[in-house]
């Protein structure tokens, strides 16, 4: 039962292109994100830029496709503002981010209510619970005014006890 694969030290190192394609095979990356990952391994800056240009020309690397993937992944659990911030942090251009958000049916009000129902499902019982719900929803990028509106008049739930008369 011998291992047909030589030990890691005996294998030749992967080329820059092989490393880049390996990263892209796992998931979409923005151009800036992939550049950082490759440069962190000691790659030459000029060679990296040339490779990124080649990968983009071949259609393997696309900020627009990356932006759409991030929007799909985060919609319903994050506000548009939080998704836009994530795309900006990942180095996606403002135009690509705007286009991806515009193509998505994200509605912050609907997402806020759906997330609140999934996560909490009932009005906060006390001020401590209310603060916890507010912090969580704010961490997902929702506006404080929208959160207060939601908690002031929480939507009914499917089970009994969903109607709360003004306390909150």
């Amino acid at each position: 039962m011998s291992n047909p694969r030589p030990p890691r030290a005996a294998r030749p190192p992967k080329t820059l292109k092989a490393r880049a394609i390996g990263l892209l095979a796992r998931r979409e990356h923005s151009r800036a994100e992939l550049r950082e990952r490759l440069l962190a391994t000691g790659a030459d800056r000029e060679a990296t830029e040339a490779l990124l240009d080649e990968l983009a020309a071949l259609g393997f690397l696309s900020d627009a496709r990356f932006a759409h993937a991030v929007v799909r992944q985060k919609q319903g659990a994050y506000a548009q503002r939080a998704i836009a911030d994530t795309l900006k942090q990942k180095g996606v251009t403002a135009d690509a981010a705007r286009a991806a958000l515009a193509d998505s049916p994200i509605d912050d009000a609907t997402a806020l209510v759906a997330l609140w129902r999934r996560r909490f499902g009932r009005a906060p019982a006390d001020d401590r619970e209310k603060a916890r719900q507010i912090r969580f929803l704010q961490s997902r990028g929702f506006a404080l005014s929208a959160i207060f509106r939601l908690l002031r008049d929480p939507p009914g739930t499917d089970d009994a006890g969903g109607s709360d008369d003004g306390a909150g």
Side-chain angles (χ1 to χ4, degrees):
M1 293 220 185
S2 66
N3 187 357
R5 201 169 178 183
R8 190 174 284 256
R11 284 184 261 157
K14 286 185 176 180
T15 65
L16 184 61
K17 187 173 186 176
R19 282 184 282 164
I21 290 175
L23 290 168
L24 289 170
R26 289 180 192 91
R27 70 170 177 86
E28 292 286 345
H29 287 73
S30 69
R31 183 182 180 102
E33 190 180 32
L34 188 58
R35 178 187 307 114
E36 287 177 31
R37 298 272 312 255
L38 294 173
L39 291 175
T41 64
D44 177 59
R45 185 169 293 279
E46 290 176 20
T48 300
E49 287 300 328
L51 176 63
L52 294 175
D53 290 339
E54 177 186 348
L55 293 173
L58 291 171
F60 294 160
L61 179 64
S62 167
D63 275 357
R65 195 171 55 233
F66 173 76
H68 279 86
V70 169
V71 168
R72 266 192 317 277
Q73 175 194 11
K74 294 186 177 289
Q75 73 185 15
Y78 290 86
Q80 270 191 345
R81 181 176 69 189
I83 297 171
D85 287 346
T86 298
L87 292 172
K88 185 177 179 182
Q89 289 172 356
K90 298 288 187 178
V92 175
T93 64
D95 290 339
R98 261 193 305 276
L101 288 167
D103 290 348
S104 174
I106 295 176
D107 175 28
D108 279 356
T110 305
L112 174 61
V113 171
L115 178 62
W116 178 81
R117 277 191 172 138
R118 271 194 319 270
R119 179 69 183 217
F120 304 107
R122 67 180 202 276
D126 55 21
D127 286 344
R128 183 176 179 185
E129 175 65 15
K130 183 177 183 178
R132 188 174 81 85
Q133 289 186 18
I134 290 169
R135 278 192 311 271
F136 174 77
L137 295 169
Q138 272 189 307
S139 75
R140 297 298 183 102
F142 295 101
L144 190 57
S145 59
I147 296 168
F148 282 146
R149 267 193 310 276
L150 170 73
L151 295 180
R152 192 174 320 118
D153 186 24
T157 57
D158 289 340
D159 60 14
S163 63
D164 213 16
D165 287 341

Coordinates of all heavy atoms in Angstrom, one line a residue, residues 70-111:
V70 N -21.3 37.3 -4.6 CA -21.4 37.8 -3.2 C -22.8 38.3 -2.9 O -23.4 38.0 -1.8 CB -20.4 38.9 -3.0 CG1 -20.6 39.7 -1.6 CG2 -19.0 38.4 -3.0
V71 N -23.4 39.0 -3.8 CA -24.8 39.5 -3.6 C -25.8 38.3 -3.4 O -26.6 38.3 -2.5 CB -25.2 40.4 -4.8 CG1 -26.7 40.7 -4.7 CG2 -24.4 41.7 -4.8
R72 N -25.7 37.3 -4.3 CA -26.5 36.1 -4.1 C -26.3 35.5 -2.8 O -27.3 35.0 -2.1 CB -26.2 35.1 -5.2 CG -27.1 35.2 -6.4 CD -26.9 34.0 -7.4 NE -25.6 33.6 -7.6 CZ -24.7 34.1 -8.5 NH1 -25.1 35.1 -9.2 NH2 -23.5 33.6 -8.6
Q73 N -25.1 35.4 -2.3 CA -24.8 34.7 -1.1 C -25.4 35.5 0.1 O -25.9 34.9 1.1 CB -23.3 34.5 -0.9 CG -22.9 34.0 0.4 CD -21.4 34.1 0.7 OE1 -20.7 34.9 0.0 NE2 -20.9 33.5 1.7
K74 N -25.3 36.8 0.1 CA -25.6 37.6 1.3 C -27.1 38.1 1.3 O -27.5 38.6 2.3 CB -24.6 38.7 1.4 CG -23.2 38.2 1.8 CD -22.3 39.3 2.0 CE -20.9 38.8 2.5 NZ -20.9 38.2 3.8
Q75 N -27.8 38.1 0.1 CA -29.1 38.7 0.1 C -30.0 37.9 1.0 O -29.9 36.7 1.2 CB -29.7 38.7 -1.3 CG -30.1 37.4 -1.9 CD -30.5 37.6 -3.4 OE1 -30.2 38.6 -4.0 NE2 -31.1 36.6 -3.9
G76 N -30.9 38.6 1.7 CA -31.8 38.0 2.6 C -31.3 38.0 4.0 O -32.0 37.8 5.0
A77 N -29.9 38.1 4.2 CA -29.3 38.0 5.5 C -28.6 39.3 5.9 O -28.2 39.5 7.0 CB -28.4 36.9 5.6
Y78 N -28.4 40.2 4.9 CA -27.7 41.4 5.1 C -28.4 42.5 4.3 O -29.0 42.3 3.3 CB -26.2 41.3 4.5 CG -25.3 40.4 5.4 CD1 -25.3 39.1 5.1 CD2 -24.5 41.0 6.4 CE1 -24.5 38.3 5.9 CE2 -23.7 40.2 7.1 CZ -23.7 38.8 6.9 OH -22.9 38.0 7.7
A79 N -28.2 43.8 4.8 CA -28.8 44.9 4.1 C -27.9 45.2 2.9 O -26.7 44.9 2.8 CB -28.8 46.1 5.0
Q80 N -28.5 46.0 1.9 CA -27.7 46.4 0.7 C -26.5 47.1 1.1 O -25.4 46.9 0.5 CB -28.6 47.3 -0.1 CG -29.4 46.6 -1.1 CD -30.0 47.6 -2.2 OE1 -30.0 48.8 -2.0 NE2 -30.5 47.0 -3.2
R81 N -26.6 48.0 2.2 CA -25.4 48.8 2.6 C -24.3 47.8 3.0 O -23.1 48.1 2.7 CB -25.8 49.7 3.8 CG -24.7 50.6 4.3 CD -25.3 51.5 5.3 NE -25.7 50.7 6.5 CZ -26.3 51.2 7.6 NH1 -26.7 52.4 7.5 NH2 -26.6 50.5 8.6
A82 N -24.6 46.8 3.8 CA -23.5 45.9 4.2 C -22.9 45.1 3.1 O -21.7 44.9 3.0 CB -24.1 44.9 5.3
I83 N -23.8 44.7 2.1 CA -23.3 44.0 0.9 C -22.3 44.9 0.1 O -21.3 44.5 -0.3 CB -24.4 43.4 0.1 CG1 -25.2 42.4 0.9 CG2 -23.9 42.8 -1.2 CD1 -26.5 42.0 0.2
A84 N -22.7 46.2 -0.1 CA -21.9 47.1 -0.8 C -20.6 47.3 -0.1 O -19.5 47.4 -0.7 CB -22.7 48.4 -1.0
D85 N -20.6 47.4 1.2 CA -19.4 47.6 2.0 C -18.4 46.3 1.8 O -17.2 46.5 1.7 CB -19.6 47.8 3.5 CG -20.2 49.1 3.8 OD1 -20.1 50.0 2.9 OD2 -20.7 49.3 4.9
T86 N -19.0 45.2 1.8 CA -18.2 43.9 1.6 C -17.6 44.0 0.2 O -16.4 43.6 0.1 CB -19.1 42.7 1.7 OG1 -19.7 42.6 3.1 CG2 -18.4 41.4 1.5
L87 N -18.3 44.3 -0.8 CA -17.8 44.4 -2.1 C -16.6 45.4 -2.2 O -15.6 45.2 -2.8 CB -18.9 44.7 -3.2 CG -19.9 43.6 -3.3 CD1 -21.0 44.1 -4.2 CD2 -19.3 42.3 -3.9
K88 N -16.8 46.5 -1.6 CA -15.8 47.6 -1.6 C -14.5 47.1 -0.9 O -13.4 47.3 -1.4 CB -16.3 48.8 -0.8 CG -15.4 50.0 -0.9 CD -16.0 51.2 -0.2 CE -15.0 52.4 -0.2 NZ -15.6 53.6 0.4
Q89 N -14.7 46.4 0.3 CA -13.5 45.8 1.0 C -12.8 44.8 0.1 O -11.6 44.6 0.3 CB -14.0 45.2 2.3 CG -14.4 46.2 3.3 CD -15.0 45.5 4.5 OE1 -15.2 44.3 4.6 NE2 -15.3 46.3 5.5
K90 N -13.5 44.1 -0.7 CA -12.9 43.0 -1.6 C -12.3 43.6 -2.8 O -11.8 42.9 -3.7 CB -13.9 42.0 -2.0 CG -14.5 41.2 -0.8 CD -13.5 40.3 -0.2 CE -14.2 39.4 0.9 NZ -13.3 38.5 1.4
G91 N -12.4 44.9 -3.0 CA -11.7 45.6 -4.1 C -12.5 45.6 -5.4 O -12.0 45.9 -6.5
V92 N -13.8 45.4 -5.3 CA -14.7 45.4 -6.5 C -15.0 46.9 -6.8 O -15.2 47.7 -5.9 CB -16.0 44.7 -6.2 CG1 -17.0 44.8 -7.4 CG2 -15.7 43.2 -5.9
T93 N -14.9 47.2 -8.1 CA -15.2 48.6 -8.5 C -16.6 49.0 -8.1 O -17.5 48.2 -8.1 CB -15.0 48.8 -10.0 OG1 -16.0 48.0 -10.7 CG2 -13.6 48.4 -10.4
A94 N -16.8 50.3 -8.0 CA -18.2 50.8 -7.6 C -19.2 50.5 -8.7 O -20.3 50.2 -8.4 CB -18.1 52.3 -7.3
D95 N -18.8 50.5 -9.9 CA -19.7 50.2 -11.0 C -20.1 48.8 -11.0 O -21.3 48.5 -11.2 CB -19.0 50.5 -12.4 CG -18.8 52.0 -12.6 OD1 -19.6 52.8 -12.0 OD2 -18.0 52.4 -13.5
A96 N -19.2 47.9 -10.8 CA -19.5 46.4 -10.7 C -20.4 46.1 -9.5 O -21.4 45.4 -9.6 CB -18.3 45.6 -10.7
A97 N -20.2 46.8 -8.4 CA -21.0 46.6 -7.2 C -22.4 47.1 -7.4 O -23.4 46.4 -7.1 CB -20.4 47.3 -6.0
R98 N -22.5 48.3 -8.0 CA -23.8 48.9 -8.3 C -24.6 48.0 -9.2 O -25.8 47.8 -9.0 CB -23.7 50.3 -8.9 CG -23.9 51.4 -7.9 CD -24.0 52.8 -8.5 NE -23.0 53.1 -9.5 CZ -21.8 53.6 -9.1 NH1 -21.6 53.9 -7.9 NH2 -20.9 53.9 -10.0
A99 N -24.0 47.5 -10.3 CA -24.6 46.7 -11.2 C -25.1 45.4 -10.6 O -26.3 44.9 -10.9 CB -23.7 46.3 -12.4
A100 N -24.3 44.8 -9.8 CA -24.7 43.5 -9.1 C -25.9 43.7 -8.1 O -26.8 42.9 -8.1 CB -23.5 42.9 -8.4
L101 N -25.8 44.8 -7.4 CA -26.9 45.2 -6.5 C -28.2 45.5 -7.2 O -29.3 45.2 -6.8 CB -26.5 46.3 -5.5 CG -25.5 45.9 -4.5 CD1 -24.9 47.1 -3.8 CD2 -26.1 45.0 -3.5
A102 N -28.1 46.2 -8.4 CA -29.2 46.6 -9.2 C -29.9 45.3 -9.8 O -31.1 45.3 -9.9 CB -28.9 47.6 -10.2
D103 N -29.1 44.3 -10.1 CA -29.7 43.1 -10.8 C -30.3 42.2 -9.7 O -31.0 41.2 -10.1 CB -28.6 42.3 -11.5 CG -28.1 43.0 -12.7 OD1 -28.7 44.0 -13.1 OD2 -27.0 42.6 -13.2
S104 N -30.1 42.5 -8.5 CA -30.7 41.6 -7.4 C -32.0 42.2 -6.9 O -32.1 43.4 -6.7 CB -29.6 41.5 -6.3 OG -30.2 40.8 -5.2
P105 N -32.9 41.3 -6.5 CA -34.2 41.8 -6.0 C -34.1 42.0 -4.5 O -35.0 41.7 -3.7 CB -35.1 40.6 -6.3 CG -34.2 39.4 -6.2 CD -32.9 39.9 -6.7
I106 N -33.0 42.6 -4.0 CA -32.9 42.9 -2.6 C -33.8 44.0 -2.1 O -33.8 45.1 -2.7 CB -31.4 43.3 -2.2 CG1 -30.5 42.1 -2.5 CG2 -31.3 43.7 -0.8 CD1 -29.0 42.5 -2.3
D107 N -34.6 43.7 -1.1 CA -35.5 44.7 -0.5 C -35.1 44.7 1.0 O -35.4 43.7 1.7 CB -36.9 44.4 -0.7 CG -37.9 45.3 0.0 OD1 -37.5 46.5 0.2 OD2 -39.0 44.9 0.3
D108 N -34.5 45.8 1.5 CA -34.1 45.8 2.9 C -35.2 45.6 3.9 O -35.0 44.9 4.9 CB -33.3 47.1 3.2 CG -31.9 47.1 2.7 OD1 -31.4 46.1 2.2 OD2 -31.2 48.1 2.8
A109 N -36.3 46.2 3.6 CA -37.5 46.0 4.6 C -37.9 44.5 4.7 O -38.1 44.0 5.8 CB -38.6 46.9 4.2
T110 N -38.0 43.9 3.5 CA -38.4 42.5 3.5 C -37.3 41.6 4.1 O -37.6 40.7 4.9 CB -38.7 42.0 2.1 OG1 -39.7 42.9 1.5 CG2 -39.2 40.6 2.0
A111 N -36.1 41.9 3.8 CA -35.0 41.1 4.3 C -34.9 41.3 5.9 O -34.6 40.3 6.6 CB -33.7 41.5 3.7

